[in-house]
Amino acid sequence: MKNVISVVVFFLVMGFSAVGFSAQGKVTGGNSFETPGWFKDSFLDIQEDVAEAKEEGKKIMLFFHLNNCPYCKAMLDENFFKGSNKKTIQDNFSVIQINIKGDRQISLNKNDEISEQQLATQLKVLYTPTVLFMDQNGKVIFRMNGYRDPTAFANLLDYVITDNYQKMSLSLYTQNKHQKNKKSYKFLKHSAFKTKYDLKGYKKPVAIMFEDKDCTGCADFHQSILSNKEVAKEMNALLYIRLDAYSDKKINWFDGTKISPQDLVNKYKLSYRPGVILFDEGKEVSRVDGKLYSYHFKEALRYISGRYYQKYATYHTYLKDRSAEILKQGINIDLSK
């Protein structure tokens, strides 16, 4: 199997416009936004920023974004401009915004100055938004890929603020924290979910989706994304399995070993719910560990089910050509739902 990549590149906003295509399909749903005025007015000397944050008893939060990214706008609107998370962030973090396509110069240390774009590449920032949390010594202690709703983000903030990242995974922390929570997510059904849990020797494309009873975005994901007919079509094009991330019931894995969903979450370090890991020939090819709207999600599935990853080294390059193909047919692309 050639050109297998470890993660999907979700820049989430196509790097082209519809102008110039003969049949005028249009791309809509990209949203312009501004970052809050209270973000740190940094000279982008990270060592100095870390030292200043330490004096204030805070950690560093690097917020990576991209122009017109609808997921970035939603994340900022719901968590940084308003809501209870805003004060929590202001009290505990020094926030520095970084544009993954930007050209501002950033100094990580005295002998190293690179552009925002180069930093994003160096840190393997593949999603927008991406949030990197740094401790008071400048060490990256946790990475959040993609959008989180306010409840999930509040849980993550508490996990970092209380230093529980030193003791356990976010998944285990969430499970322990909500043990007595009577209001839990009730697992929803879908016609595309398969019940095949014996994956030993299975060589075809597989999507494994992880949910749990504490998932705050799972119900909405079913209602707004999985209910989409085009998404359902792509789900049926491969083996689509849904697992309970908290379950300790073992299943037969691709290599013949027995492993529980709970252990799989830890093995693959999946912190997002509903997270989806995409496999082919028994190996991970890509994953969805941040919120995606229908268009990006269905194309992420098609990228694997059609084995386009063998032609395109990254999802981003695949998506650019795929979107151009759709636009040429006069079909509009909405990035926002």
Side-chain angles (χ1 to χ4, degrees):
M1 184 167 55
K2 299 179 180 179
N3 299 323
V4 177
I5 57 176
S6 60
V7 291
V8 175
V9 181
F10 283 133
F11 284 142
L12 305 177
V13 178
M14 271 76 75
F16 64 90
S17 70
V19 177
F21 294 112
S22 56
Q24 294 301 313
K26 295 181 180 179
V27 177
T28 61
N31 296 312
S32 61
F33 60 87
E34 295 182 356
T35 54
W38 55 265
F39 274 17
K40 183 175 178 61
D41 186 16
S42 171
F43 289 105
L44 300 181
D45 184 324
I46 302 302
Q47 281 192 332
E48 285 189 6
D49 292 331
V50 168
E52 290 176 7
K54 185 175 183 179
E55 289 180 1
E56 297 172 359
K58 297 180 178 181
K59 294 180 173 70
I60 290 285
M61 180 189 295
L62 300 181
F63 185 91
F64 290 85
H65 63 88
L66 180 66
N67 294 344
N68 298 316
C69 165
Y71 307 92
C72 300
K73 177 174 172 55
M75 187 78 192
L76 289 168
D77 286 349
E78 297 170 11
N79 294 281
F80 293 84
F81 278 106
K82 60 184 179 182
S84 60
N85 287 338
K86 176 182 176 181
K87 187 176 188 308
T88 300
I89 297 167
Q90 289 176 313
D91 289 347
N92 293 279
F93 297 95
S94 181
V95 186
I96 301 168
Q97 61 93 7
I98 298 172
N99 189 322
I100 67 169
K101 293 293 185 180
D103 56 8
R104 293 184 303 164
Q105 294 298 298
I106 298 177
S107 175
L108 289 177
N109 54 61
K110 294 180 180 179
N111 302 314
D112 187 11
E113 189 171 278
I114 56 179
S115 70
E116 293 172 281
Q117 185 170 354
Q118 289 172 322
L119 177 64
T121 300
Q122 181 175 311
L123 295 177
K124 298 181 180 179
V125 174
L126 306 172
Y127 299 72
T128 54
T130 284
V131 176
L132 297 187
F133 296 91
M134 304 175 76
D135 65 14
Q136 294 180 351
N137 295 312
K139 178 183 177 182
V140 175
I141 53 178
F142 193 80
R143 180 191 199 102
M144 185 198 82
N145 296 320
Y147 165 92
R148 297 293 188 277
D149 65 61
T151 302
F153 194 47
N155 182 63
L156 195 160
L157 291 172
D158 191 50
Y159 173 69
V160 173
I161 291 168
T162 57
D163 295 332
N164 272 286
Y165 63 87
Q166 297 177 345
K167 307 171 186 176
M168 65 189 80
S169 68
L170 177 61
S171 180
L172 182 58
Y173 172 75
T174 304
Q175 186 177 3
N176 291 342
K177 183 178 179 181
H178 297 289
Q179 278 183 346
K180 297 180 180 180
N181 186 5
K182 295 182 179 180
K183 293 183 179 180
S184 60
Y185 162 66
K186 305 299 182 184
F187 287 76
L188 297 175
K189 297 180 180 180
H190 194 286
S191 60
F193 291 165
K194 307 299 192 300
T195 57
K196 179 183 176 67
Y197 294 145
D198 186 353
L199 295 172
K200 181 179 179 180
Y202 195 80
K203 297 295 184 181
K204 296 179 181 180
V206 181
I208 302 182
M209 184 172 82
F210 293 86
E211 297 184 309
D212 61 51
K213 68 178 182 64
D214 298 313
C215 176
T216 58
C218 288
D220 178 70
F221 184 65
H222 279 260
Q223 294 163 8
S224 62
I225 308 301
L226 299 190
S227 62
N228 182 288
K229 291 182 179 179
E230 292 185 356
V231 170
K233 178 182 176 181
E234 296 302 334
M235 291 172 69
N236 282 307
L238 41 64
L239 180 64
Y240 200 105
I241 298 171
R242 189 263 304 278
L243 297 177
D244 179 353
Y246 289 168
S247 174
D248 58 4
K249 183 179 180 181
K250 294 185 177 181
I251 63 174
N252 286 328
W253 199 235
F254 297 103
D255 60 3
T257 59
K258 292 185 179 296
I259 189 169
S260 69
Q262 190 176 67
D263 289 336
L264 284 172
V265 166
N266 292 327
K267 176 181 178 179
Y268 288 96
K269 298 180 180 179
L270 188 67
S271 63
Y272 178 70
R273 306 288 185 275
V276 181
I277 304 180
L278 299 154
F279 298 87
D280 193 19
E281 297 186 11
K283 297 180 180 179
E284 179 184 355
V285 179
S286 59
R287 62 173 59 192
V288 177
D289 56 359
K291 181 175 181 177
L292 293 183
Y293 295 122
S294 297
Y295 178 70
H296 288 122
F297 187 68
K298 77 178 181 67
E299 290 303 327
L301 297 180
R302 185 176 183 270
Y303 179 62
I304 305 305
S305 65
R307 289 177 166 156
Y308 291 101
Y309 69 88
Q310 295 177 346
K311 177 181 178 181
Y312 296 95
T314 68
Y315 171 77
H316 181 58
T317 54
Y318 157 78
L319 187 63
K320 187 173 182 179
D321 282 0
R322 171 62 172 163
S323 299
E325 175 188 348
I326 292 173
L327 292 170
K328 282 183 178 179
Q329 299 172 27
I331 300 172
N332 295 333
I333 297 173
D334 188 347
L335 305 180
S336 64
K337 62 181 182 180

